[in-house]
Amino acid sequence: LAKTTQPISMDSYEGQEVNITCSHNNIATNDYITWYQQFPSQGPRFIIQGYKTKVTNEVASLFIPADRKSSTLSLPRVSLSDTAVYYCLVVRAYSGAGSYQLTFGKGTKLSVIP
Amino acid sequence: GAGVSQSPRYKVAKRGQDVALRCDPISGHVSLFWYQQALGQGPEFLTYFQNEAQLDKSGLPSDRFFAERPEGSVSTLKIQRTQQEDSAVYLCASSLDVSQPQHFGDGTRLSIL
């Protein structure tokens, strides 16, 4: 699976929009991009998933350019409770064989400042 | 319950003891995964079940680690003759099937003294 690269840490003030960019240069045709959020002492929580263009849900938006070599997670108007580690993952689409484990990097530690 | 439940939340054992960690997945979820998370790192894959079949155990660090899911629901991760390097958070995740997002429990924090 394609290796992902994302910033180690980011700081943001409350109320601002936060964009976390992830690069995945070697993404394959049948891979998609998934983002998870993890708070201390909790398991990772699924945020959003996409294949191309733009995906939006009640929590975040995910922007994926045409070449799919990078993606950007956008969190609108962050609050203190958004302080967490955010993981970008490349996930292999179902192919009828193999395992489907998630491969996590170190993630991006987002600190929201009052 | 509504989510993935893991027990115990904390486990302290002496080096050399055997431990068993339990995972109750979301009802109806076919796929079940175990991960190990060291401090400051992302989770790392250990093993994967599809119903009761263990389809991938390539991430298990040694033959001291053993996982089972005999009835395709509850799963147990067993570590024999524990060593200090086994200290970590052990996370369980389940999904409706392999193409769906995984739902994680809050893990078991294992400390080996």
Side-chain angles (χ1 to χ4, degrees):
Chain A
L1 284 175
K3 183 179 177 181
T4 59
T5 303
Q6 54 184 122
I8 296 295
S9 64
M10 292 181 70
D11 293 337
S12 176
Y13 287 102
E14 270 191 298
Q16 290 188 329
E17 177 184 78
V18 171
N19 295 308
I20 306 175
T21 297
C22 175
S23 66
H24 27 79
N25 291 319
N26 297 319
I27 192 167
T29 303
N30 58 343
D31 293 340
Y32 51 93
I33 298 107
T34 302
W35 285 79
Y36 279 77
Q37 173 193 54
Q38 187 174 27
F39 298 112
S41 300
Q42 293 187 21
R45 185 180 69 144
F46 171 80
I47 302 175
I48 198 166
Q49 176 176 290
Y51 184 80
K52 60 181 179 180
T53 63
K54 177 184 175 182
V55 179
T56 297
N57 62 22
E58 64 277 6
V59 176
S61 294
L62 178 60
F63 299 91
I64 306 167
D67 66 6
R68 304 203 323 124
K69 293 183 183 298
S70 67
S71 59
T72 299
L73 174 72
S74 181
L75 304 172
R77 298 178 298 282
V78 294
S79 64
L80 295 177
S81 62
D82 292 316
T83 294
V85 177
Y86 292 82
Y87 295 99
C88 165
L89 297 92
V90 169
V91 181
R92 180 63 43 84
Y94 181 69
S95 63
S99 185
Y100 301 91
Q101 71 268 28
L102 301 176
T103 301
F104 290 84
K106 290 190 176 182
T108 297
K109 185 174 183 180
L110 173 66
S111 298
V112 180
I113 306 163
Chain B
V4 176
S5 178
Q6 293 188 245
S7 60
R9 285 282 280 132
Y10 303 92
K11 176 70 178 177
V12 178
K14 292 183 178 179
R15 185 164 54 95
Q17 289 183 329
D18 298 347
V19 298
L21 313 179
R22 178 188 169 104
C23 172
D24 279 272
I26 295 172
S27 178
H29 278 197
V30 170
S31 301
L32 186 145
F33 299 79
W34 283 97
Y35 295 84
Q36 180 190 60
Q37 186 170 25
L39 191 64
Q41 305 294 318
E44 291 191 356
F45 169 76
L46 293 177
T47 187
Y48 157 63
F49 289 85
Q50 187 82 342
N51 295 303
E52 68 280 1
Q54 189 175 17
L55 298 186
D56 188 344
K57 50 183 181 180
S58 62
L60 297 176
S62 74
D63 58 7
R64 297 186 295 104
F65 287 71
F66 172 76
E68 60 184 6
R69 194 186 185 196
E71 298 179 356
S73 178
V74 171
S75 177
T76 303
L77 176 67
K78 297 178 180 178
I79 309 174
Q80 298 175 326
R81 305 181 303 280
T82 53
Q83 300 178 3
Q84 282 195 320
E85 61 262 32
D86 299 336
S87 296
V89 175
Y90 291 85
L91 294 162
C92 175
S94 70
S95 62
L96 202 55
D97 64 47
V98 293
S99 64
Q100 300 299 312
Q102 294 180 24
H103 300 264
F104 284 79
D106 286 337
T108 294
R109 182 176 296 276
L110 176 65
S111 298
I112 305 300
L113 305 179

